[in-house]
Amino acid sequence: MICLWFIVLSSSYLCSPHRVPLPVIRVPATNSLYEAGLMHGRLAKGYITGFLSISEIKALKAFVTDNPVGVLAFENFKKDNSKAFPRYVLEMQGIADGSSVDIETIWMINMLQELENLMRQQDGKPQPDHCSDLMASGFEGIWAGHNEDWSEAVKPFMYIVAYDSLDSRKANFVECAGFCYPGMVPGSAMSFNKHGIFYTQNAMFPSHSRNSGLLSNFVNRNACEQSSWQGVAEVSNVTDQAMGFSLNVVDVKAKIAMNVEVYEDRMALTFAGDSNTHNLSHFNKYKYIDPLPQMPPRPSTEHRQKRVDSLPPWHTKEDVLRVLGDVQDAAYPIYRNITLMTLLLDGVSGDLNIWADANPYTAEPVYSWNVFSFWN
């Protein structure tokens, strides 16, 4: 097992040729979510400030500062989510205090998907496609695979964060770990907790989304504190959401694998292993909600889906890794130069393998954990 537990980040470290491809920040144990956020912010300060310097985040800052559409949405989102998720607001305040970044900027980062979708609705520019997900459930076991894709610009600033408690009976949060976009609360992208709940997220970019309502980051953060797949479904199925998301969920204890699609006030559950759905694939397009939300053309999603559909069904670990590492379509490959991380979960044992900056079909993982023993 390869584990990197504590890292103190600095600008010199971020520029170092010896930088670990995907560092892990294990926050010192506490019973306070604010204190967990505070230590998260301190240990990730270099990543957060570096992330704020890229052009994508500078454009987001201009949108919420100078554009009336962005200004209104920013205030609406703060109001609605402060009321619905006060604990996570305290966690964000901790991240802000620890990283010496103002709380308004930390709020903005946690609105990233919704704000960027509003930007695209206004300027008409296409939103880049992102992640790829595969799930399998059958005689060969339960497998969940994910490529986390964003952009090459963000690669130097990504990390995995883990929260521990001193006493789970007294803590005001559930121990969890996840891949983090700097400044965000854990719970999106890839997340797991001590109860054996694991999921990955696919960003959705529908043609219409609201300028108010609940943010996916906080709805997903709540999902990360659940102890069963039923709990994940319940907290995902809340009304007044600003946009939505796709979660690919495995309840390792219950041996259940499912996809959760949410769009505004609607949700669809699709279980891997049901009748003809032993295999599930998901990219950046709604597939299961009825009626399907309107979506702008997404060439990469269409190509990746077509490529996956042309391949034989995947049943084994090797099958899933072969698909996640596929580069057959030169224009729109499944494994890409913007792939930040690849992971594969064995949904029966809870074993989790993670790759960074390497094709998972040809390279060894950088981390090998178990979602239960990780907390020991």
Side-chain angles (χ1 to χ4, degrees), residues 58-337:
K58 289 181 178 179
L60 193 69
K61 184 71 169 180
F63 181 63
V64 301
T65 303
D66 304 326
N67 189 305
V69 173
V71 171
L72 177 61
F74 182 77
E75 293 303 322
N76 287 344
F77 290 148
K78 279 202 306 179
K79 177 182 176 181
D80 295 340
N81 290 273
S82 293
K83 181 178 179 181
F85 302 108
R87 282 194 306 124
Y88 305 146
V89 175
L90 285 176
E91 181 181 5
M92 284 197 303
Q93 185 64 61
I95 294 172
D97 293 345
S99 63
S100 301
V101 172
D102 65 275
I103 184 60
E104 300 292 279
T105 297
I106 298 299
W107 263 111
M108 180 191 73
I109 293 300
N110 282 276
M111 303 175 186
L112 179 65
Q113 293 184 46
E114 287 79 5
L115 289 175
E116 288 198 334
N117 206 56
L118 292 173
M119 290 171 66
R120 303 302 175 241
Q121 291 176 34
Q122 187 176 45
D123 62 26
K125 294 179 181 179
Q127 177 71 28
D129 280 346
H130 294 296
C131 307
S132 302
D133 271 273
L134 303 173
M135 301 185 82
S137 180
F139 293 116
E140 300 290 341
I142 298 173
W143 302 100
H146 176 85
N147 282 349
E148 181 67 24
D149 300 337
W150 199 271
S151 73
E152 289 190 274
V154 308
K155 272 188 179 183
F157 309 113
M158 310 314 299
Y159 55 88
I160 293 171
V161 69
Y163 288 3
D164 284 319
S165 68
L166 290 169
D167 185 341
S168 60
R169 297 167 298 179
K170 297 179 180 179
N172 66 343
F173 64 92
V174 172
E175 292 96 328
C176 67
F179 180 90
C180 262
Y181 287 83
M184 287 187 183
V185 297
S188 62
M190 177 278 290
S191 305
F192 62 94
N193 68 24
K194 65 175 297 183
H195 300 297
I197 294 297
F198 169 94
Y199 62 80
T200 57
Q201 189 217 56
N202 275 352
M204 299 287 104
F205 301 103
S207 297
H208 172 269
S209 59
R210 295 165 171 164
N211 69 351
S212 63
L214 304 184
L215 297 165
S216 59
N217 256 29
F218 299 127
V219 176
N220 296 164
R221 180 72 179 87
N222 199 13
C224 197
E225 297 204 287
Q226 304 308 306
S227 60
S228 68
W229 67 265
Q230 296 97 328
V232 173
E234 181 179 354
V235 300
S236 298
N237 192 25
V238 290
T239 58
D240 298 322
Q241 297 195 48
M243 190 167 68
F245 51 84
S246 169
L247 291 186
N248 303 283
V249 183
V250 178
D251 181 336
V252 181
K253 285 183 178 178
K255 306 297 184 284
I256 294 289
M258 67 179 184
N259 174 266
V260 182
E261 277 190 353
V262 172
Y263 176 62
E264 295 183 347
D265 301 319
R266 294 183 282 139
M267 183 182 77
L269 295 182
T270 304
F271 291 88
D274 279 359
S275 60
N276 295 321
T277 59
H278 293 289
N279 292 153
L280 294 179
S281 61
H282 214 291
F283 302 99
N284 303 112
K285 184 176 181 180
Y286 284 105
K287 297 178 69 173
Y288 305 118
I289 283 184
D290 185 25
L292 288 171
Q294 183 179 359
M295 308 216 26
R298 312 201 66 80
S300 176
T301 285
E302 300 295 342
H303 277 247
R304 284 178 288 148
Q305 186 68 70
K306 183 178 180 180
R307 174 60 179 162
V308 164
D309 292 344
S310 74
L311 296 172
W314 49 90
H315 300 294
T316 67
K317 172 182 178 179
E318 291 72 22
D319 292 342
V320 176
L321 292 177
R322 183 183 299 112
V323 178
L324 290 174
D326 189 89
V327 294
Q328 181 66 33
D329 186 331
Y332 299 103
I334 295 172
Y335 179 83
R336 302 182 273 178
N337 60 350

